[in-house]
Amino acid sequence: MFFYRIALTVMVLAALLISGCTVGVQNKLDKEPAKLEPYTERIGNYVFAVPSNFQRKDDLSMIYENKGTVRAYLVYVGKASTPRLVSFFEKYMKKNGWKKELFIAGEDTVLAFSRDGQLIVFKIQQEFNSTLLKVLLTTQ
């Protein structure tokens, strides 16, 4: 009986500890920053801003570089609403000399910007508890 109580106590404490950690992680992921701060990303001769609370997932991204030519498919994960991201990209891409070429709103939102023969396409996808930002670096 004594060992049963100890085992039961250990299981309850472990469950509380695990659920407490899960809630802490979930609450951290749920929070969208009050303001989206830009982080300048430089890949080859492509320079663009992404929100600083978004992290690039290198295991999901691909960068091709050959003799100064760069093409890339990049995946970032963070938290922001689609309208805030659209405003963010419209502001910071224009500030860096990029011209908006395309805007498609729907379940997924797509924005494309061009500059000096370069083309950057952003695809915004809202997931259950995060936002996926997929970025294509190519030419016009």
Side-chain angles (χ1 to χ4, degrees):
M1 189 67 158
F2 176 73
F3 292 111
Y4 174 75
R5 286 185 183 172
I6 290 176
L8 183 62
T9 303
V10 168
M11 287 190 295
V12 168
L13 288 174
L16 288 174
L17 180 63
I18 291 169
S19 67
C21 291
T22 303
V23 169
V25 169
Q26 184 176 3
N27 287 342
K28 188 174 184 179
L29 291 174
D30 283 343
K31 294 182 181 178
E32 180 178 350
K35 183 179 179 193
L36 296 179
E37 297 292 335
Y39 168 77
T40 302
E41 187 78 274
R42 289 178 173 83
I43 298 177
N45 55 354
Y46 289 84
V47 179
F48 58 98
V50 293
S52 61
N53 66 311
F54 278 70
Q55 301 299 314
R56 188 170 74 206
K57 296 295 189 180
D58 289 331
D59 59 325
L60 301 174
S61 301
M62 295 180 288
I63 299 173
Y64 170 80
E65 195 166 354
N66 184 25
K67 299 179 185 175
T69 300
V70 173
R71 300 291 177 266
Y73 173 76
L74 311 167
V75 178
Y76 297 84
V77 177
K79 186 70 176 168
S81 69
T82 298
R84 288 186 68 205
L85 282 170
V86 168
S87 295
F88 174 89
F89 287 119
E90 287 176 342
K91 177 181 178 181
Y92 288 104
M93 293 300 282
K94 182 178 180 181
K95 190 175 183 178
N96 288 314
W98 293 90
K99 176 185 164 202
K100 185 165 61 169
E101 296 289 342
L102 176 72
F103 173 74
I104 300 173
E107 187 175 329
D108 297 337
T109 297
V110 178
L111 294 131
F113 296 88
S114 66
R115 178 180 77 181
D116 301 330
Q118 296 177 322
L119 184 69
I120 298 181
V121 181
F122 296 98
K123 183 176 184 181
I124 303 165
Q125 293 179 295
Q126 294 297 331
E127 297 293 320
F128 172 67
N129 200 23
S130 63
T131 306
L132 288 179
L133 178 60
K134 298 177 179 180
V135 183
L136 179 65
L137 308 180
T138 188
T139 59
Q140 284 183 300

